[in-house]
């Protein structure tokens, strides 16, 4: 403590100054970009409009409205899909704590905290696909991680998480 700084200097407490040594944000993969979605919807709309005009020309005018309804339903399905793409999971591992935050579309938010010395990671692996399920459990609490990942990404994450867990159990060294 100096005369210019009356606040005491922070102690070297491992719990207060601990930095995480593993952090990952898991997000679902969406193969269709917003630009691709626009192109797709323009193509679907054009095909539906041309087909509707053909039915209108032969006198089946109610069919024209159903083609428009199809375009609306496809657009709505993709909008819901993009809304669910805002889901993510954040996993942070330090020597004294594992924090898993699950954020869903809207205001759904869950946070789980585990002691790395008590946590057990389990995975279900299929020979052809890799890891199909990854979960953490500790003292009766059980959560699945990365359900929305494809098996290849889940396998990669499982290896990184296993290494982080082993490091945490070794004291973060």
């Amino acid at each position: 403590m100096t005369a210019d700084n009356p606040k005491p200097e922070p102690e070297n407490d491992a719990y207060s100054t601990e930095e995480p040594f593993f952090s990952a944000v898991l997000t679902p993969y969406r193969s269709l970009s917003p630009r691709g979605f626009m192109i797709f919807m323009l193509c679907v709309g054009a095909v539906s409009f041309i087909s509707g005009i053909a039915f209108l020309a032969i006198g089946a005018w109610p069919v024209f409205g159903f083609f428009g309804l199809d375009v609306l339903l496809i657009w709505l399905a993709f909008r819901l899909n993009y809304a669910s793409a805002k889901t993510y999971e954040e996993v942070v591992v330090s020597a004294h704590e594992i924090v898993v935050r699950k954020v869903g579309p809207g205001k759904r938010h869950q946070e789980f905290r585990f002691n790395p010395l008590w946590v057990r990671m389990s995975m279900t692996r299929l020979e052809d696909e890799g890891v199909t399920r990854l979960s953490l459990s500790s003292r009766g609490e059980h959560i699945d991680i990365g359900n929305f990942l494809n098996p290849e990404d889940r396998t990669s994450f499982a290896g990184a998480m296993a290494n982080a867990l082993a490091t945490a159990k070794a004291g973060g060294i």
Side-chain angles (χ1 to χ4, degrees):
M1 188 160 46
T2 64
D4 295 334
N5 184 10
K7 294 185 232 173
E9 294 180 16
E11 297 176 17
N12 288 335
D13 184 13
Y15 288 99
S16 63
T17 61
E18 178 183 327
E19 290 292 321
F21 51 83
F22 178 79
S23 179
V25 177
L26 308 175
T27 57
Y29 176 71
R30 295 295 186 251
S31 60
L32 189 61
S33 68
R35 182 172 182 255
F37 172 68
M38 179 71 77
I39 292 170
F40 174 72
M41 287 307 298
L42 286 174
C43 290
V44 168
V47 168
S48 292
F49 184 73
I50 291 169
S51 300
I53 292 294
F55 277 96
L56 193 62
I58 62 172
W61 58 268
V63 176
F64 186 76
F66 285 107
F67 276 113
L69 184 62
D70 288 348
V71 173
L72 177 67
L73 289 175
I74 291 171
W75 178 83
L76 182 63
F78 272 96
R79 293 285 32 144
L80 292 173
N81 184 21
Y82 281 120
S84 72
K86 294 178 182 173
T87 299
Y88 68 91
E89 294 177 3
E90 182 180 4
V91 180
V92 179
V93 180
S94 64
H96 300 286
E97 188 173 47
I98 298 173
V99 179
V100 179
R101 289 182 193 93
K102 293 184 170 214
V103 178
K107 297 189 183 229
R108 291 188 304 164
H109 179 276
Q110 294 177 316
E111 185 171 300
F112 303 92
R113 294 179 179 271
F114 298 104
N115 182 337
L117 299 176
W118 290 97
V119 77
R120 191 181 114 207
M121 185 175 83
S122 61
M123 62 180 104
T124 305
R125 182 185 298 265
L126 293 178
E127 192 173 316
D128 325 0
E129 295 182 32
V131 176
T132 57
R133 184 174 179 211
L134 182 64
S135 62
L136 295 177
S137 59
S138 175
R139 298 184 175 191
E141 193 171 9
H142 174 85
I143 61 165
D144 289 333
I145 300 176
N147 287 339
F148 47 75
L149 296 176
N150 61 41
E152 183 180 312
D153 290 341
R154 198 176 300 122
T155 302
S156 172
F157 175 72
M161 185 66 185
N163 289 338
L165 200 54
T167 303
K169 289 183 178 185
I173 300 172

